[in-house]
Amino acid sequence: MIYLDSAATTLQKPPAVVRAASYAMNHLASPGRGGHWPAMQAAETVFACRQEAAELFHADDPEQVVLTFNATHALNLAIKSLVRPGDTVLISSYEHNAVTRPLYALGANIRVAAGPLFHPAAMLDAFEAKLTPEIQCVVCTHVSNVFGYILPIQEIAALCRSCGVPLIVDASQSAGCLPVHLKELGAAFIAMPGHKGLYGPQGTGLLLCNRETVPLLEGGTGSRSADQAMPDFLPDRLEAGTHNVPGAAGLLAGLRFVKAKGLDHILEGERALTIQAARGLSSLPGVTVYAAKNPVCQAGVLSFSLDGMDCEVAGEALGEREIAVRAGLHCAPLAHKAAGTFETGTIRASFSAFNHSAEVGRLVWEVTRLAGRR
């Protein structure tokens, strides 16, 4: 199987991730739930995961790093800590449902800064025009999960800082391949999954916190057990219940893999494969490719479509040929509306540090065969 669906999850993990998660399942207990060796080792592992993440993402204190189940969990924590019913919230036109659905459920007044695909200057102009005094929060993705479009997050963050408006960053597609700096951005929160560009297990994620928080869950934390209110300090305030210790151990190994490999090296490799795929697919008749003219505007995600063939049918056909891609709306209808692909969806290929050029060549060949069959 040629796996080209890392924007959903990186199936191919570094061997150290598998070993760490397996070891934790067999040897580690729950942090904060005992003074015995298995509990103490679990606490050390979880804290080491926070430390590694704080260093990679430039947080001042490991306690600002909250362990979550995924990026959706992290985004819900962030949004529900800042947004109240009726608040006016500004988002980009490339947001995932993990942003829009919590806002909708809260009854927020959602405004959209819309800009054409792969045009960061226009996106920044849209944010400048829409960031009016009544905006109480901004939520923005760093990279579109559909198109790999890198939004001008540094400039958007600077704009939010100048207006005194808190910013939540969705780093689901950028963590692990692009610089994500909590201090530099001055964001209120940055949310990310552990199982994508950080190469951790599914069921892991991180929330970097720079503001007061509101728990989604209440329960045991192993701290201040006599109090019925949740602790008022991080990370305990947001981490009720038993930790996913095997997940944290695997994520720690994934973070160390990213650090050793280097963000620039990972991005360079993914971007080279994206360019190769875009060039190869663009040469085929009847294939539409959504690629940036300037490669610096795009990370390792590429969408395309075949004229006259349903994208879901094409995706299934590629799966039958042992190529794993994703087809449809990718839980991001706003992004498809912005790009004009809402009615049809797209086929998405997304790359990781474990993909190579020959796999892209095979993708292009199989799409050539599909185009001919069409």
Side-chain angles (χ1 to χ4, degrees), residues 70-87 89 91 95-110 139 168 170 191 216 331:
N70 45 50
T72 299
H73 179 202
L75 284 164
N76 270 265
L77 281 166
I79 289 168
K80 291 168 184 177
S81 290
L82 287 181
V83 180
R84 298 291 172 266
D87 282 358
V89 180
I91 66 174
E95 299 307 312
H96 192 276
N97 281 343
V99 168
T100 57
R101 284 180 172 174
L103 291 173
Y104 179 83
L106 280 169
N109 176 21
I110 303 171
V139 189
I168 299 170
D170 179 1
L216 282 180
C331 300

PDB file of all heavy atoms in Angstrom, residues 70-87 89 91 95-110 139 168 170 191 216 331:
ATOM      1  N   ASN A  70      -7.088  14.845  20.729  1.00  0.00           N
ATOM      2  CA  ASN A  70      -6.875  15.160  19.310  1.00  0.00           C
ATOM      3  C   ASN A  70      -6.959  16.675  19.158  1.00  0.00           C
ATOM      4  O   ASN A  70      -7.165  17.391  20.151  1.00  0.00           O
ATOM      5  CB  ASN A  70      -7.914  14.461  18.414  1.00  0.00           C
ATOM      6  CG  ASN A  70      -9.323  14.569  18.959  1.00  0.00           C
ATOM      7  OD1 ASN A  70      -9.789  15.654  19.300  1.00  0.00           O
ATOM      8  ND2 ASN A  70     -10.017  13.443  19.065  1.00  0.00           N
ATOM      9  N   ALA A  71      -6.835  17.171  17.942  1.00  0.00           N
ATOM     10  CA  ALA A  71      -6.927  18.622  17.729  1.00  0.00           C
ATOM     11  C   ALA A  71      -8.345  19.135  17.946  1.00  0.00           C
ATOM     12  O   ALA A  71      -8.539  20.274  18.389  1.00  0.00           O
ATOM     13  CB  ALA A  71      -6.458  18.974  16.319  1.00  0.00           C
ATOM     14  N   THR A  72      -9.346  18.324  17.638  1.00  0.00           N
ATOM     15  CA  THR A  72     -10.734  18.733  17.849  1.00  0.00           C
ATOM     16  C   THR A  72     -11.002  18.993  19.328  1.00  0.00           C
ATOM     17  O   THR A  72     -11.638  19.995  19.693  1.00  0.00           O
ATOM     18  CB  THR A  72     -11.691  17.657  17.312  1.00  0.00           C
ATOM     19  OG1 THR A  72     -11.481  17.502  15.907  1.00  0.00           O
ATOM     20  CG2 THR A  72     -13.145  18.034  17.568  1.00  0.00           C
ATOM     21  N   HIS A  73     -10.529  18.098  20.173  1.00  0.00           N
ATOM     22  CA  HIS A  73     -10.647  18.281  21.625  1.00  0.00           C
ATOM     23  C   HIS A  73      -9.942  19.577  22.032  1.00  0.00           C
ATOM     24  O   HIS A  73     -10.486  20.386  22.799  1.00  0.00           O
ATOM     25  CB  HIS A  73     -10.027  17.066  22.320  1.00  0.00           C
ATOM     26  CG  HIS A  73     -10.060  17.112  23.809  1.00  0.00           C
ATOM     27  ND1 HIS A  73      -9.194  16.381  24.585  1.00  0.00           N
ATOM     28  CD2 HIS A  73     -10.832  17.815  24.685  1.00  0.00           C
ATOM     29  CE1 HIS A  73      -9.438  16.606  25.858  1.00  0.00           C
ATOM     30  NE2 HIS A  73     -10.425  17.484  25.955  1.00  0.00           N
ATOM     31  N   ALA A  74      -8.737  19.786  21.521  1.00  0.00           N
ATOM     32  CA  ALA A  74      -7.975  20.991  21.860  1.00  0.00           C
ATOM     33  C   ALA A  74      -8.697  22.257  21.410  1.00  0.00           C
ATOM     34  O   ALA A  74      -8.765  23.252  22.143  1.00  0.00           O
ATOM     35  CB  ALA A  74      -6.583  20.917  21.237  1.00  0.00           C
ATOM     36  N   LEU A  75      -9.242  22.236  20.202  1.00  0.00           N
ATOM     37  CA  LEU A  75      -9.946  23.410  19.691  1.00  0.00           C
ATOM     38  C   LEU A  75     -11.216  23.691  20.490  1.00  0.00           C
ATOM     39  O   LEU A  75     -11.564  24.848  20.747  1.00  0.00           O
ATOM     40  CB  LEU A  75     -10.288  23.222  18.213  1.00  0.00           C
ATOM     41  CG  LEU A  75      -9.104  23.393  17.257  1.00  0.00           C
ATOM     42  CD1 LEU A  75      -9.428  22.810  15.892  1.00  0.00           C
ATOM     43  CD2 LEU A  75      -8.720  24.869  17.131  1.00  0.00           C
ATOM     44  N   ASN A  76     -11.926  22.648  20.898  1.00  0.00           N
ATOM     45  CA  ASN A  76     -13.107  22.845  21.733  1.00  0.00           C
ATOM     46  C   ASN A  76     -12.736  23.477  23.067  1.00  0.00           C
ATOM     47  O   ASN A  76     -13.433  24.376  23.556  1.00  0.00           O
ATOM     48  CB  ASN A  76     -13.836  21.517  21.950  1.00  0.00           C
ATOM     49  CG  ASN A  76     -14.879  21.239  20.896  1.00  0.00           C
ATOM     50  OD1 ASN A  76     -16.055  21.522  21.078  1.00  0.00           O
ATOM     51  ND2 ASN A  76     -14.439  20.703  19.766  1.00  0.00           N
ATOM     52  N   LEU A  77     -11.637  23.012  23.669  1.00  0.00           N
ATOM     53  CA  LEU A  77     -11.181  23.622  24.910  1.00  0.00           C
ATOM     54  C   LEU A  77     -10.871  25.106  24.712  1.00  0.00           C
ATOM     55  O   LEU A  77     -11.269  25.955  25.520  1.00  0.00           O
ATOM     56  CB  LEU A  77      -9.934  22.898  25.419  1.00  0.00           C
ATOM     57  CG  LEU A  77     -10.138  21.573  26.135  1.00  0.00           C
ATOM     58  CD1 LEU A  77      -8.817  20.828  26.262  1.00  0.00           C
ATOM     59  CD2 LEU A  77     -10.748  21.793  27.519  1.00  0.00           C
ATOM     60  N   ALA A  78     -10.157  25.410  23.637  1.00  0.00           N
ATOM     61  CA  ALA A  78      -9.762  26.799  23.381  1.00  0.00           C
ATOM     62  C   ALA A  78     -10.970  27.681  23.104  1.00  0.00           C
ATOM     63  O   ALA A  78     -11.129  28.765  23.694  1.00  0.00           O
ATOM     64  CB  ALA A  78      -8.786  26.841  22.208  1.00  0.00           C
ATOM     65  N   ILE A  79     -11.824  27.231  22.203  1.00  0.00           N
ATOM     66  CA  ILE A  79     -12.981  28.035  21.806  1.00  0.00           C
ATOM     67  C   ILE A  79     -13.915  28.260  22.989  1.00  0.00           C
ATOM     68  O   ILE A  79     -14.386  29.380  23.241  1.00  0.00           O
ATOM     69  CB  ILE A  79     -13.710  27.353  20.634  1.00  0.00           C
ATOM     70  CG1 ILE A  79     -12.860  27.470  19.349  1.00  0.00           C
ATOM     71  CG2 ILE A  79     -15.097  27.965  20.414  1.00  0.00           C
ATOM     72  CD1 ILE A  79     -13.340  26.605  18.201  1.00  0.00           C
ATOM     73  N   LYS A  80     -14.163  27.210  23.760  1.00  0.00           N
ATOM     74  CA  LYS A  80     -15.116  27.328  24.861  1.00  0.00           C
ATOM     75  C   LYS A  80     -14.517  28.011  26.086  1.00  0.00           C
ATOM     76  O   LYS A  80     -15.242  28.330  27.026  1.00  0.00           O
ATOM     77  CB  LYS A  80     -15.697  25.956  25.173  1.00  0.00           C
ATOM     78  CG  LYS A  80     -16.603  25.489  24.034  1.00  0.00           C
ATOM     79  CD  LYS A  80     -17.011  24.039  24.096  1.00  0.00           C
ATOM     80  CE  LYS A  80     -17.827  23.686  22.844  1.00  0.00           C
ATOM     81  NZ  LYS A  80     -18.206  22.268  22.796  1.00  0.00           N
ATOM     82  N   SER A  81     -13.207  28.240  26.053  1.00  0.00           N
ATOM     83  CA  SER A  81     -12.593  29.074  27.088  1.00  0.00           C
ATOM     84  C   SER A  81     -12.721  30.556  26.770  1.00  0.00           C
ATOM     85  O   SER A  81     -12.733  31.393  27.678  1.00  0.00           O
ATOM     86  CB  SER A  81     -11.107  28.718  27.238  1.00  0.00           C
ATOM     87  OG  SER A  81     -10.933  27.450  27.824  1.00  0.00           O
ATOM     88  N   LEU A  82     -12.834  30.903  25.478  1.00  0.00           N
ATOM     89  CA  LEU A  82     -12.832  32.309  25.067  1.00  0.00           C
ATOM     90  C   LEU A  82     -14.181  32.835  24.601  1.00  0.00           C
ATOM     91  O   LEU A  82     -14.476  34.026  24.757  1.00  0.00           O
ATOM     92  CB  LEU A  82     -11.823  32.511  23.929  1.00  0.00           C
ATOM     93  CG  LEU A  82     -10.341  32.480  24.271  1.00  0.00           C
ATOM     94  CD1 LEU A  82      -9.520  32.722  23.009  1.00  0.00           C
ATOM     95  CD2 LEU A  82      -9.995  33.521  25.325  1.00  0.00           C
ATOM     96  N   VAL A  83     -14.988  31.976  23.995  1.00  0.00           N
ATOM     97  CA  VAL A  83     -16.185  32.440  23.292  1.00  0.00           C
ATOM     98  C   VAL A  83     -17.434  32.151  24.119  1.00  0.00           C
ATOM     99  O   VAL A  83     -17.602  31.053  24.662  1.00  0.00           O
ATOM    100  CB  VAL A  83     -16.297  31.764  21.909  1.00  0.00           C
ATOM    101  CG1 VAL A  83     -17.546  32.246  21.176  1.00  0.00           C
ATOM    102  CG2 VAL A  83     -15.043  32.042  21.074  1.00  0.00           C
ATOM    103  N   ARG A  84     -18.297  33.138  24.200  1.00  0.00           N
ATOM    104  CA  ARG A  84     -19.578  32.996  24.870  1.00  0.00           C
ATOM    105  C   ARG A  84     -20.709  33.125  23.842  1.00  0.00           C
ATOM    106  O   ARG A  84     -20.519  33.712  22.774  1.00  0.00           O
ATOM    107  CB  ARG A  84     -19.741  34.075  25.951  1.00  0.00           C
ATOM    108  CG  ARG A  84     -18.693  33.988  27.051  1.00  0.00           C
ATOM    109  CD  ARG A  84     -18.896  32.750  27.915  1.00  0.00           C
ATOM    110  NE  ARG A  84     -17.803  32.540  28.851  1.00  0.00           N
ATOM    111  CZ  ARG A  84     -16.754  31.766  28.616  1.00  0.00           C
ATOM    112  NH1 ARG A  84     -16.641  31.142  27.463  1.00  0.00           N
ATOM    113  NH2 ARG A  84     -15.803  31.612  29.527  1.00  0.00           N
ATOM    114  N   PRO A  85     -21.884  32.566  24.149  1.00  0.00           N
ATOM    115  CA  PRO A  85     -23.007  32.687  23.203  1.00  0.00           C
ATOM    116  C   PRO A  85     -23.245  34.136  22.795  1.00  0.00           C
ATOM    117  O   PRO A  85     -23.291  35.034  23.636  1.00  0.00           O
ATOM    118  CB  PRO A  85     -24.189  32.121  23.994  1.00  0.00           C
ATOM    119  CG  PRO A  85     -23.559  31.140  24.950  1.00  0.00           C
ATOM    120  CD  PRO A  85     -22.239  31.762  25.330  1.00  0.00           C
ATOM    121  N   GLY A  86     -23.371  34.334  21.496  1.00  0.00           N
ATOM    122  CA  GLY A  86     -23.607  35.677  20.977  1.00  0.00           C
ATOM    123  C   GLY A  86     -22.351  36.451  20.646  1.00  0.00           C
ATOM    124  O   GLY A  86     -22.436  37.513  20.013  1.00  0.00           O
ATOM    125  N   ASP A  87     -21.188  35.973  21.059  1.00  0.00           N
ATOM    126  CA  ASP A  87     -19.939  36.659  20.720  1.00  0.00           C
ATOM    127  C   ASP A  87     -19.723  36.659  19.206  1.00  0.00           C
ATOM    128  O   ASP A  87     -20.121  35.728  18.499  1.00  0.00           O
ATOM    129  CB  ASP A  87     -18.740  35.967  21.379  1.00  0.00           C
ATOM    130  CG  ASP A  87     -18.595  36.317  22.853  1.00  0.00           C
ATOM    131  OD1 ASP A  87     -19.396  37.120  23.352  1.00  0.00           O
ATOM    132  OD2 ASP A  87     -17.675  35.777  23.494  1.00  0.00           O
ATOM    133  N   VAL A  89     -17.200  36.265  16.252  1.00  0.00           N
ATOM    134  CA  VAL A  89     -15.919  35.589  16.036  1.00  0.00           C
ATOM    135  C   VAL A  89     -15.559  35.646  14.553  1.00  0.00           C
ATOM    136  O   VAL A  89     -16.407  35.370  13.689  1.00  0.00           O
ATOM    137  CB  VAL A  89     -15.980  34.125  16.506  1.00  0.00           C
ATOM    138  CG1 VAL A  89     -14.643  33.428  16.283  1.00  0.00           C
ATOM    139  CG2 VAL A  89     -16.388  34.053  17.974  1.00  0.00           C
ATOM    140  N   ILE A  91     -13.281  34.179  11.481  1.00  0.00           N
ATOM    141  CA  ILE A  91     -12.515  33.007  11.066  1.00  0.00           C
ATOM    142  C   ILE A  91     -12.110  33.164   9.604  1.00  0.00           C
ATOM    143  O   ILE A  91     -12.644  34.013   8.888  1.00  0.00           O
ATOM    144  CB  ILE A  91     -13.324  31.707  11.245  1.00  0.00           C
ATOM    145  CG1 ILE A  91     -14.540  31.685  10.300  1.00  0.00           C
ATOM    146  CG2 ILE A  91     -13.762  31.539  12.698  1.00  0.00           C
ATOM    147  CD1 ILE A  91     -15.310  30.378  10.301  1.00  0.00           C
ATOM    148  N   GLU A  95     -11.499  27.123   7.252  1.00  0.00           N
ATOM    149  CA  GLU A  95     -11.561  26.413   8.528  1.00  0.00           C
ATOM    150  C   GLU A  95     -12.208  25.037   8.414  1.00  0.00           C
ATOM    151  O   GLU A  95     -13.079  24.792   7.591  1.00  0.00           O
ATOM    152  CB  GLU A  95     -12.305  27.256   9.568  1.00  0.00           C
ATOM    153  CG  GLU A  95     -11.659  28.598   9.866  1.00  0.00           C
ATOM    154  CD  GLU A  95     -10.194  28.476  10.243  1.00  0.00           C
ATOM    155  OE1 GLU A  95      -9.858  27.632  11.101  1.00  0.00           O
ATOM    156  OE2 GLU A  95      -9.376  29.235   9.680  1.00  0.00           O
ATOM    157  N   HIS A  96     -11.762  24.164   9.297  1.00  0.00           N
ATOM    158  CA  HIS A  96     -12.265  22.801   9.443  1.00  0.00           C
ATOM    159  C   HIS A  96     -13.538  22.830  10.286  1.00  0.00           C
ATOM    160  O   HIS A  96     -13.784  23.774  11.032  1.00  0.00           O
ATOM    161  CB  HIS A  96     -11.169  21.976  10.137  1.00  0.00           C
ATOM    162  CG  HIS A  96     -11.384  20.505  10.130  1.00  0.00           C
ATOM    163  ND1 HIS A  96     -12.177  19.859  11.057  1.00  0.00           N
ATOM    164  CD2 HIS A  96     -10.849  19.524   9.345  1.00  0.00           C
ATOM    165  CE1 HIS A  96     -12.137  18.553  10.842  1.00  0.00           C
ATOM    166  NE2 HIS A  96     -11.352  18.323   9.810  1.00  0.00           N
ATOM    167  N   ASN A  97     -14.344  21.781  10.203  1.00  0.00           N
ATOM    168  CA  ASN A  97     -15.532  21.680  11.044  1.00  0.00           C
ATOM    169  C   ASN A  97     -15.204  21.635  12.536  1.00  0.00           C
ATOM    170  O   ASN A  97     -16.063  21.911  13.373  1.00  0.00           O
ATOM    171  CB  ASN A  97     -16.347  20.437  10.671  1.00  0.00           C
ATOM    172  CG  ASN A  97     -17.199  20.643   9.428  1.00  0.00           C
ATOM    173  OD1 ASN A  97     -17.446  21.767   9.009  1.00  0.00           O
ATOM    174  ND2 ASN A  97     -17.639  19.554   8.817  1.00  0.00           N
ATOM    175  N   ALA A  98     -13.969  21.274  12.861  1.00  0.00           N
ATOM    176  CA  ALA A  98     -13.558  21.287  14.266  1.00  0.00           C
ATOM    177  C   ALA A  98     -13.555  22.697  14.840  1.00  0.00           C
ATOM    178  O   ALA A  98     -13.564  22.867  16.067  1.00  0.00           O
ATOM    179  CB  ALA A  98     -12.167  20.668  14.417  1.00  0.00           C
ATOM    180  N   VAL A  99     -13.543  23.700  13.971  1.00  0.00           N
ATOM    181  CA  VAL A  99     -13.673  25.109  14.383  1.00  0.00           C
ATOM    182  C   VAL A  99     -15.109  25.579  14.246  1.00  0.00           C
ATOM    183  O   VAL A  99     -15.686  26.157  15.165  1.00  0.00           O
ATOM    184  CB  VAL A  99     -12.729  26.004  13.556  1.00  0.00           C
ATOM    185  CG1 VAL A  99     -13.059  27.480  13.760  1.00  0.00           C
ATOM    186  CG2 VAL A  99     -11.276  25.737  13.930  1.00  0.00           C
ATOM    187  N   THR A 100     -15.712  25.338  13.098  1.00  0.00           N
ATOM    188  CA  THR A 100     -17.022  25.925  12.817  1.00  0.00           C
ATOM    189  C   THR A 100     -18.142  25.290  13.629  1.00  0.00           C
ATOM    190  O   THR A 100     -19.062  25.988  14.068  1.00  0.00           O
ATOM    191  CB  THR A 100     -17.342  25.836  11.317  1.00  0.00           C
ATOM    192  OG1 THR A 100     -17.276  24.461  10.893  1.00  0.00           O
ATOM    193  CG2 THR A 100     -16.345  26.650  10.506  1.00  0.00           C
ATOM    194  N   ARG A 101     -18.086  23.991  13.855  1.00  0.00           N
ATOM    195  CA  ARG A 101     -19.169  23.348  14.593  1.00  0.00           C
ATOM    196  C   ARG A 101     -19.233  23.775  16.066  1.00  0.00           C
ATOM    197  O   ARG A 101     -20.339  24.034  16.578  1.00  0.00           O
ATOM    198  CB  ARG A 101     -19.079  21.831  14.447  1.00  0.00           C
ATOM    199  CG  ARG A 101     -19.554  21.349  13.073  1.00  0.00           C
ATOM    200  CD  ARG A 101     -19.461  19.857  12.909  1.00  0.00           C
ATOM    201  NE  ARG A 101     -20.090  19.417  11.666  1.00  0.00           N
ATOM    202  CZ  ARG A 101     -20.051  18.170  11.201  1.00  0.00           C
ATOM    203  NH1 ARG A 101     -19.398  17.240  11.886  1.00  0.00           N
ATOM    204  NH2 ARG A 101     -20.646  17.848  10.068  1.00  0.00           N
ATOM    205  N   PRO A 102     -18.105  23.843  16.787  1.00  0.00           N
ATOM    206  CA  PRO A 102     -18.197  24.373  18.156  1.00  0.00           C
ATOM    207  C   PRO A 102     -18.724  25.802  18.202  1.00  0.00           C
ATOM    208  O   PRO A 102     -19.510  26.149  19.103  1.00  0.00           O
ATOM    209  CB  PRO A 102     -16.748  24.294  18.659  1.00  0.00           C
ATOM    210  CG  PRO A 102     -16.112  23.233  17.850  1.00  0.00           C
ATOM    211  CD  PRO A 102     -16.761  23.325  16.501  1.00  0.00           C
ATOM    212  N   LEU A 103     -18.311  26.635  17.258  1.00  0.00           N
ATOM    213  CA  LEU A 103     -18.795  28.015  17.225  1.00  0.00           C
ATOM    214  C   LEU A 103     -20.295  28.054  16.954  1.00  0.00           C
ATOM    215  O   LEU A 103     -21.043  28.810  17.587  1.00  0.00           O
ATOM    216  CB  LEU A 103     -18.046  28.819  16.164  1.00  0.00           C
ATOM    217  CG  LEU A 103     -16.573  29.114  16.452  1.00  0.00           C
ATOM    218  CD1 LEU A 103     -15.911  29.759  15.237  1.00  0.00           C
ATOM    219  CD2 LEU A 103     -16.429  30.023  17.677  1.00  0.00           C
ATOM    220  N   TYR A 104     -20.737  27.229  16.032  1.00  0.00           N
ATOM    221  CA  TYR A 104     -22.164  27.161  15.716  1.00  0.00           C
ATOM    222  C   TYR A 104     -22.957  26.684  16.937  1.00  0.00           C
ATOM    223  O   TYR A 104     -24.008  27.231  17.273  1.00  0.00           O
ATOM    224  CB  TYR A 104     -22.385  26.217  14.537  1.00  0.00           C
ATOM    225  CG  TYR A 104     -23.831  26.044  14.148  1.00  0.00           C
ATOM    226  CD1 TYR A 104     -24.473  26.956  13.318  1.00  0.00           C
ATOM    227  CD2 TYR A 104     -24.570  24.950  14.613  1.00  0.00           C
ATOM    228  CE1 TYR A 104     -25.801  26.803  12.963  1.00  0.00           C
ATOM    229  CE2 TYR A 104     -25.898  24.781  14.268  1.00  0.00           C
ATOM    230  CZ  TYR A 104     -26.510  25.711  13.446  1.00  0.00           C
ATOM    231  OH  TYR A 104     -27.834  25.547  13.106  1.00  0.00           O
ATOM    232  N   ALA A 105     -22.432  25.660  17.622  1.00  0.00           N
ATOM    233  CA  ALA A 105     -23.125  25.116  18.797  1.00  0.00           C
ATOM    234  C   ALA A 105     -23.226  26.148  19.920  1.00  0.00           C
ATOM    235  O   ALA A 105     -24.190  26.151  20.685  1.00  0.00           O
ATOM    236  CB  ALA A 105     -22.416  23.859  19.292  1.00  0.00           C
ATOM    237  N   LEU A 106     -22.219  27.007  20.020  1.00  0.00           N
ATOM    238  CA  LEU A 106     -22.228  28.053  21.045  1.00  0.00           C
ATOM    239  C   LEU A 106     -23.174  29.205  20.719  1.00  0.00           C
ATOM    240  O   LEU A 106     -23.468  30.046  21.574  1.00  0.00           O
ATOM    241  CB  LEU A 106     -20.818  28.632  21.213  1.00  0.00           C
ATOM    242  CG  LEU A 106     -19.837  27.829  22.057  1.00  0.00           C
ATOM    243  CD1 LEU A 106     -18.438  28.388  21.904  1.00  0.00           C
ATOM    244  CD2 LEU A 106     -20.255  27.844  23.528  1.00  0.00           C
ATOM    245  N   GLY A 107     -23.641  29.268  19.475  1.00  0.00           N
ATOM    246  CA  GLY A 107     -24.468  30.389  19.061  1.00  0.00           C
ATOM    247  C   GLY A 107     -23.660  31.644  18.788  1.00  0.00           C
ATOM    248  O   GLY A 107     -24.157  32.766  18.934  1.00  0.00           O
ATOM    249  N   ALA A 108     -22.396  31.454  18.387  1.00  0.00           N
ATOM    250  CA  ALA A 108     -21.554  32.605  18.072  1.00  0.00           C
ATOM    251  C   ALA A 108     -21.995  33.256  16.769  1.00  0.00           C
ATOM    252  O   ALA A 108     -22.541  32.597  15.875  1.00  0.00           O
ATOM    253  CB  ALA A 108     -20.095  32.170  17.973  1.00  0.00           C
ATOM    254  N   ASN A 109     -21.748  34.532  16.670  1.00  0.00           N
ATOM    255  CA  ASN A 109     -21.966  35.270  15.422  1.00  0.00           C
ATOM    256  C   ASN A 109     -20.688  35.132  14.601  1.00  0.00           C
ATOM    257  O   ASN A 109     -19.684  35.784  14.892  1.00  0.00           O
ATOM    258  CB  ASN A 109     -22.278  36.735  15.740  1.00  0.00           C
ATOM    259  CG  ASN A 109     -22.427  37.575  14.496  1.00  0.00           C
ATOM    260  OD1 ASN A 109     -22.674  37.062  13.411  1.00  0.00           O
ATOM    261  ND2 ASN A 109     -22.257  38.874  14.641  1.00  0.00           N
ATOM    262  N   ILE A 110     -20.720  34.268  13.591  1.00  0.00           N
ATOM    263  CA  ILE A 110     -19.516  33.916  12.846  1.00  0.00           C
ATOM    264  C   ILE A 110     -19.368  34.810  11.624  1.00  0.00           C
ATOM    265  O   ILE A 110     -20.279  34.909  10.796  1.00  0.00           O
ATOM    266  CB  ILE A 110     -19.556  32.442  12.402  1.00  0.00           C
ATOM    267  CG1 ILE A 110     -19.735  31.523  13.608  1.00  0.00           C
ATOM    268  CG2 ILE A 110     -18.287  32.075  11.632  1.00  0.00           C
ATOM    269  CD1 ILE A 110     -19.996  30.073  13.240  1.00  0.00           C
ATOM    270  N   VAL A 139     -10.250  32.962  15.049  1.00  0.00           N
ATOM    271  CA  VAL A 139      -9.774  31.587  14.933  1.00  0.00           C
ATOM    272  C   VAL A 139      -9.295  31.399  13.499  1.00  0.00           C
ATOM    273  O   VAL A 139     -10.025  31.710  12.557  1.00  0.00           O
ATOM    274  CB  VAL A 139     -10.869  30.556  15.261  1.00  0.00           C
ATOM    275  CG1 VAL A 139     -10.257  29.150  15.339  1.00  0.00           C
ATOM    276  CG2 VAL A 139     -11.598  30.903  16.549  1.00  0.00           C
ATOM    277  N   ILE A 168      -6.887  32.157  18.258  1.00  0.00           N
ATOM    278  CA  ILE A 168      -6.728  30.705  18.371  1.00  0.00           C
ATOM    279  C   ILE A 168      -6.207  30.202  17.031  1.00  0.00           C
ATOM    280  O   ILE A 168      -6.793  30.483  15.981  1.00  0.00           O
ATOM    281  CB  ILE A 168      -8.060  30.015  18.701  1.00  0.00           C
ATOM    282  CG1 ILE A 168      -8.600  30.503  20.049  1.00  0.00           C
ATOM    283  CG2 ILE A 168      -7.886  28.494  18.715  1.00  0.00           C
ATOM    284  CD1 ILE A 168     -10.029  30.044  20.333  1.00  0.00           C
ATOM    285  N   ASP A 170      -5.250  26.984  14.646  1.00  0.00           N
ATOM    286  CA  ASP A 170      -5.370  25.553  14.368  1.00  0.00           C
ATOM    287  C   ASP A 170      -4.130  25.133  13.589  1.00  0.00           C
ATOM    288  O   ASP A 170      -3.988  25.440  12.406  1.00  0.00           O
ATOM    289  CB  ASP A 170      -6.638  25.282  13.554  1.00  0.00           C
ATOM    290  CG  ASP A 170      -6.809  23.808  13.200  1.00  0.00           C
ATOM    291  OD1 ASP A 170      -5.952  22.986  13.596  1.00  0.00           O
ATOM    292  OD2 ASP A 170      -7.799  23.476  12.528  1.00  0.00           O
ATOM    293  N   ALA A 191      -3.751  24.851  18.885  1.00  0.00           N
ATOM    294  CA  ALA A 191      -4.229  23.470  18.969  1.00  0.00           C
ATOM    295  C   ALA A 191      -3.597  22.637  17.861  1.00  0.00           C
ATOM    296  O   ALA A 191      -3.392  23.122  16.743  1.00  0.00           O
ATOM    297  CB  ALA A 191      -5.750  23.433  18.846  1.00  0.00           C
ATOM    298  N   LEU A 216     -13.633  21.409  29.981  1.00  0.00           N
ATOM    299  CA  LEU A 216     -14.743  20.712  29.334  1.00  0.00           C
ATOM    300  C   LEU A 216     -15.233  19.569  30.209  1.00  0.00           C
ATOM    301  O   LEU A 216     -16.402  19.193  30.172  1.00  0.00           O
ATOM    302  CB  LEU A 216     -14.306  20.136  27.979  1.00  0.00           C
ATOM    303  CG  LEU A 216     -14.209  21.066  26.787  1.00  0.00           C
ATOM    304  CD1 LEU A 216     -13.773  20.284  25.559  1.00  0.00           C
ATOM    305  CD2 LEU A 216     -15.531  21.769  26.525  1.00  0.00           C
ATOM    306  N   CYS A 331     -14.187  17.282   5.650  1.00  0.00           N
ATOM    307  CA  CYS A 331     -14.672  17.965   6.855  1.00  0.00           C
ATOM    308  C   CYS A 331     -14.386  19.462   6.820  1.00  0.00           C
ATOM    309  O   CYS A 331     -14.277  20.108   7.871  1.00  0.00           O
ATOM    310  CB  CYS A 331     -14.040  17.363   8.121  1.00  0.00           C
ATOM    311  SG  CYS A 331     -14.393  15.623   8.369  1.00  0.00           S
TER     312      CYS A 331
END
